[in-house]
Amino acid sequence: MVVGVVVVVESSVEGEEVSYDGRSLIINGQRKLLFSASIHYPRSTPEMWGSLIGKAKEGGIDVIQTYVFWNLHEPEKGQYDFSGRADIVRFIKEIQAHGLYASLRIGPFIEAEWNYGGLPFWLHDVPGIVYRCDNEPFKVHMQNFTTKIVNMMKSENLYASQGGPIILSQIENEYEMVEHAFHEKGPPYVRWAAQMAVALQTGVPWMMCKQYDAPDPVINTCNGMKCGVSFPGPNSPNKPWLWTENWTTWYRAYGKEPETRSAQDIAFQVALFVARNGTFVNYYMYHGGTNFGRTTSAFTTTSYYDDAPLDEYGFIRLPKWGHLKQLHEAIKSCSNPILFGTQFTLSLGQQQMGYIYQRNSGECAAFLVNQDDTKSVAVIFHNSSYELGPSSVNVKNNTRLITTGKKFNDSEMWQEFKDIIPTFADTSMRSKTLLEHVNTTKDMSDYLWYTF
């Protein structure tokens, strides 16, 4: 399918309360049409953050979205690390310095092809714990960490209600996909998580992705490649259409052929989502980066979403980055009728449709859709003819726009990750029976040695 946009965005970070209605997020009393980019702070270095955020802004991005990585920040119970690549406050302030908004997906279970989905290993040893359900031991630790992150953001005045950039937060992550496995322990956990998050009083809305029964006032959102087609919409007419993960490619697994996604397909789904009432689209990932050390999940390569608009090293990938930049400009040029006009649909043929936004002033935005994947079609709209191509559009080139920023020709510029591999004589544990690997190593090493 190919969409034509017959096509005016204003973007400024304002320190005011954030709310929403059935059309969009509302910041400082103004409806907003926002494009967002997932950039994960621990998958790059602090020295890269400014460049990554700057290139995203140049590409028409309004919001930077990131997960919060619990096992990175609390590797041992009660012992926290917010230094170096884990310096989330510095990352959020870098977003603010570039004049962009921030979206914080606390989880604290995040998936994200990250080791244990972000859950710290020490939870494994908490008596009576069952993860991600109506289980008191888990809820205690989940609430403690969520509260710590929220209070840290508050102490640095980083929520929009305090003059900061954070306009949106997420609790839990794609829980509806596994909720049935917890039987009667699932639904009350969803309600508890929502109530717990809202009670933290951040002054900004909370969301749950892939959770159609997200309790009010939490917003349910869509994840996936085809939300322009598949998303049934929010569970209340008073909630906006938000897309938290528009997958720009697919992560790599060892032994599998690389998969990619064309810029045209991404753009089509974005345009169709906006046509259907969407006003917030986040690209996952806009920059994937690197899974350093032992942070990646099983079988996932260290290079993460290298085919995103910004590749693993932060270089611009063309045509994806440029194509989306042009899309953002086109859609934002007609943001007024999209945000404030009356929506109606118009049949333009057997497989052609128009999604129209019309203001009383006569200002109009029209998304003309051709669902025929075999041929181009000419349609008539407002007494003018428009040629809509078929949906089967392929990308024939995919290049990195590389410029030299710094030469690492000094050995002191490099760091090497070394896992601890002890010699048998230096080990402190002895057993005459086979030991269960993870319970023995506590996930501090990939190695457990045996001699026979």
Side-chain angles (χ1 to χ4, degrees):
M1 292 182 281
V2 169
V3 65
V5 182
V6 182
V7 285
V8 212
V9 55
E10 306 154 359
S11 180
S12 60
V13 177
E14 302 164 82
E16 299 290 344
E17 289 278 334
V18 182
S19 60
Y20 61 79
D21 61 13
R23 182 59 61 87
S24 73
L25 294 176
I26 299 173
I27 305 174
N28 193 24
Q30 297 294 317
R31 286 177 176 167
K32 293 289 183 177
L33 198 165
L34 301 168
F35 293 104
S36 174
S38 282
I39 299 174
H40 294 163
Y41 53 97
R43 283 176 158 143
S44 57
T45 65
E47 293 76 16
M48 294 173 66
W49 293 344
S51 173
L52 296 173
I53 294 167
K55 289 174 182 175
K57 182 178 182 178
E58 186 183 352
I61 294 298
D62 311 288
V63 184
I64 302 297
Q65 180 167 282
T66 185
Y67 279 124
V68 180
F69 299 76
W70 187 1
N71 57 3
L72 177 72
H73 295 303
E74 193 179 7
E76 296 185 43
K77 184 179 177 181
Q79 297 184 22
Y80 296 97
D81 181 10
F82 294 98
S83 63
R85 290 186 295 106
D87 193 346
I88 185 173
V89 168
R90 177 178 171 181
F91 182 71
I92 299 298
K93 288 183 176 179
E94 189 71 49
I95 296 170
Q96 184 176 27
H98 280 78
L100 299 182
Y101 298 117
S103 173
L104 201 61
R105 303 176 76 187
I106 298 177
F109 175 81
I110 60 172
E111 176 45 37
E113 294 72 56
W114 189 264
N115 197 23
Y116 293 111
L119 299 180
F121 182 80
W122 56 261
L123 285 175
H124 182 267
D125 294 327
V126 174
I129 196 167
V130 180
Y131 300 163
R132 303 179 72 200
C133 72
D134 190 23
N135 171 267
E136 288 305 317
F138 179 74
K139 291 194 297 183
V140 165
H141 292 292
M142 174 177 170
Q143 183 170 5
N144 286 345
F145 181 74
T146 303
T147 303
K148 182 174 183 66
I149 295 299
V150 168
N151 287 343
M152 179 182 295
M153 298 300 111
K154 285 183 177 180
S155 69
E156 298 287 342
N157 296 319
L158 292 177
Y159 284 103
S161 55
Q162 303 171 296
I166 302 173
I167 60 169
L168 197 61
S169 295
Q170 179 178 298
I171 194 71
E172 250 300 337
N173 190 55
E174 298 182 330
Y175 187 70
E176 190 175 274
M177 299 173 64
V178 298
E179 184 176 349
H180 67 280
F182 296 99
H183 305 291
E184 72 280 0
K185 294 288 187 178
Y189 170 67
V190 173
R191 295 191 293 271
W192 169 85
Q195 292 167 0
M196 181 268 291
V198 172
L200 293 174
Q201 298 182 337
T202 62
V204 305
W206 287 85
M207 59 185 176
M208 285 181 167
C209 65
K210 284 192 175 179
Q211 190 65 47
Y212 190 73
D213 61 351
D216 293 342
V218 178
I219 306 166
N220 62 296
T221 72
C222 186
N223 282 8
M225 286 187 174
K226 307 292 184 182
C227 289
V229 175
S230 64
F231 188 48
N235 59 21
S236 166
N238 298 319
K239 297 179 182 180
W241 289 50
L242 308 184
W243 189 353
T244 37
E245 290 190 17
N246 181 5
W247 304 332
T248 57
T249 180
W250 196 248
Y251 65 87
R252 290 285 306 276
Y254 285 108
K256 288 191 174 182
E257 291 296 318
E259 298 181 46
T260 188
R261 186 182 180 196
S262 73
Q264 285 90 337
D265 183 56
I266 299 171
F268 168 75
Q269 287 294 328
V270 170
L272 187 55
F273 187 75
V274 175
R276 294 181 61 213
N277 214 32
T279 51
F280 181 99
V281 177
N282 176 73
Y283 298 104
Y284 189 100
M285 299 290 297
Y286 198 83
H287 168 259
T290 305
N291 294 311
F292 295 103
R294 303 174 62 254
T295 58
T296 188
S297 61
F299 307 115
T300 305
T301 62
T302 54
S303 176
Y304 190 63
Y305 276 80
D306 181 58
D307 196 45
L310 300 180
D311 73 8
E312 179 181 5
Y313 310 102
F315 294 125
I316 289 174
R317 266 202 180 274
L318 297 175
K320 194 167 285 185
W321 182 89
H323 194 78
L324 295 178
K325 174 182 171 71
Q326 292 178 334
L327 173 72
H328 303 154
E329 292 171 348
I331 292 178
K332 287 180 178 182
S333 70
C334 53
S335 60
N336 282 332
I338 292 173
L339 291 171
F340 300 101
T342 300
Q343 182 198 50
F344 62 94
T345 58
L346 179 67
S347 176
L348 299 171
Q350 288 187 340
Q351 299 187 68
Q352 294 75 43
M353 177 174 288
Y355 294 85
I356 319 299
Y357 290 88
Q358 184 91 38
R359 299 198 71 178
N360 292 335
S361 64
E363 190 177 7
C364 169
F367 295 80
L368 311 180
V369 181
N370 177 22
Q371 300 184 51
D372 190 329
D373 61 0
T374 62
K375 61 182 180 181
S376 297
V377 177
V379 299
I380 303 297
F381 177 72
H382 280 196
N383 299 319
S384 296
S385 178
Y386 296 93
E387 186 79 13
L388 305 181
S391 63
S392 54
V393 179
N394 297 319
V395 179
K396 295 184 179 180
N397 64 317
N398 185 17
T399 61
R400 305 173 198 259
L401 186 60
I402 298 175
T403 57
T404 301
K406 194 171 187 178
K407 291 185 177 181
F408 294 91
N409 54 1
D410 186 340
S411 61
E412 294 182 358
M413 300 295 293
W414 295 86
Q415 290 181 332
E416 181 181 2
F417 174 79
K418 292 183 179 181
D419 207 343
I420 300 172
I421 308 175
T423 61
F424 184 79
D426 295 332
T427 56
S428 59
M429 179 179 290
R430 299 286 189 275
S431 175
K432 293 185 178 180
T433 61
L434 293 176
L435 302 174
E436 199 282 320
H437 188 127
V438 177
N439 278 319
T440 305
T441 64
K442 301 301 182 185
D443 198 41
M444 298 304 293
S445 172
D446 287 327
Y447 302 99
L448 186 62
W449 296 95
Y450 300 95
T451 61
F452 295 89

